Amino acid sequence: MQADGITDVEQLKAIAGRDITRRTARPLPGERVGGKARVRTKDITETPGHSAMARAGKQHLASGGSRLAKVIAHTAAVGGNLAFTVRARKGAFTMDAGRRDDSPGLRRNVVQRRDGTEERDYGKSLGGGQGPGGFDAQDFKDRVDRAGGDVTAAVVGWLVETGRLNPGSQLTHLEIRGWKTQD
């Protein structure tokens, strides 16, 4: 079968444009119409103004998770630490759930999901008397910069380098938490 048709991307966008609507978020209190889709962020932990958290799902991560970079950059600017939670298919992880080699600490916090994914935490506090935990935010900022601003690639790269994730695996969710310990 041979078909002849439009192959120019701009023409195809023009045709499809009438059927595509931008993804929107629920209206905030006081809004009549939902706003632009947003990555959830908030100020957290014991140091107001020096802590932040953001999370993103599969769709945003596929485009690099660039909005998560703000948390990393802010935390690096104040000399803070990062922790993150990743979610991927069970078979994507190289280590069994809960192994100390994968995520040391008092609470390793592996969550099994019904959809065949696992959620794992990295960089949490090591436990009482063992320090605040976390990874150096500047190190992760440098990783993101080397990846061209692609937070997803930087985190996946770290997971693969440290032997926690199989190469070529994709994350379905990523949450990044940054804080500066009190001086």
Side-chain angles (χ1 to χ4, degrees), residues 58-138:
K58 191 174 190 174
Q59 185 175 4
H60 184 61
L61 293 177
S63 64
S66 59
R67 289 178 278 183
L68 298 175
K70 293 177 186 176
V71 171
I72 297 171
H74 171 74
T75 306
V78 298
N81 296 334
L82 289 176
F84 52 90
T85 300
V86 298
R87 192 164 150 193
R89 306 285 309 157
K90 287 180 186 179
F93 294 102
T94 59
M95 298 181 188
D96 295 332
R99 267 185 50 192
R100 288 197 177 276
D101 295 345
D102 180 41
S103 184
L106 297 177
R107 186 169 170 231
R108 290 178 288 287
N109 204 14
V110 174
V111 179
Q112 305 281 338
R113 301 286 179 168
R114 288 185 189 178
D115 63 356
T117 61
E118 284 183 356
E119 187 175 279
R120 297 186 183 197
D121 290 337
Y122 298 100
K124 292 178 71 170
S125 174
L126 299 175
Q130 297 181 17
F135 302 109
D136 181 35
Q138 187 61 49

Side-chain angles (χ1 to χ4, degrees), residues 12-180:
L12 290 170
K13 283 183 181 178
I15 292 169
R18 66 176 179 242
D19 298 316
I20 297 173
T21 57
R22 182 175 180 84
R23 195 175 67 133
T24 58
R26 288 189 312 250
L28 295 173
E31 289 182 338
R32 292 178 55 196
V33 179
K36 191 167 104 176
R38 55 196 169 267
V39 172
R40 289 176 250 167
T41 62
K42 64 182 176 179
D43 195 20
I44 57 168
T45 67
E46 73 246 8
T47 53
H50 293 300
S51 60
M53 184 275 295
R55 68 177 65 130
K58 191 174 190 174
Q59 185 175 4
H60 184 61
L61 293 177
S63 64
S66 59
R67 289 178 278 183
L68 298 175
K70 293 177 186 176
V71 171
I72 297 171
H74 171 74
T75 306
V78 298
N81 296 334
L82 289 176
F84 52 90
T85 300
V86 298
R87 192 164 150 193
R89 306 285 309 157
K90 287 180 186 179
F93 294 102
T94 59
M95 298 181 188
D96 295 332
R99 267 185 50 192
R100 288 197 177 276
D101 295 345
D102 180 41
S103 184
L106 297 177
R107 186 169 170 231
R108 290 178 288 287
N109 204 14
V110 174
V111 179
Q112 305 281 338
R113 301 286 179 168
R114 288 185 189 178
D115 63 356
T117 61
E118 284 183 356
E119 187 175 279
R120 297 186 183 197
D121 290 337
Y122 298 100
K124 292 178 71 170
S125 174
L126 299 175
Q130 297 181 17
F135 302 109
D136 181 35
Q138 187 61 49
D139 177 46
F140 267 90
K141 182 181 181 311
D142 293 343
R143 286 177 176 276
V144 171
D145 291 344
R146 284 193 302 268
D150 190 336
V151 175
T152 307
V155 172
V156 168
W158 180 84
L159 290 166
V160 170
E161 284 173 25
T162 57
R164 291 174 165 88
L165 194 70
N166 289 316
S169 298
Q170 294 182 344
L171 301 181
T172 60
H173 294 79
L174 174 60
E175 176 182 287
I176 296 185
R177 299 172 302 282
W179 68 92
K180 179 177 179 9

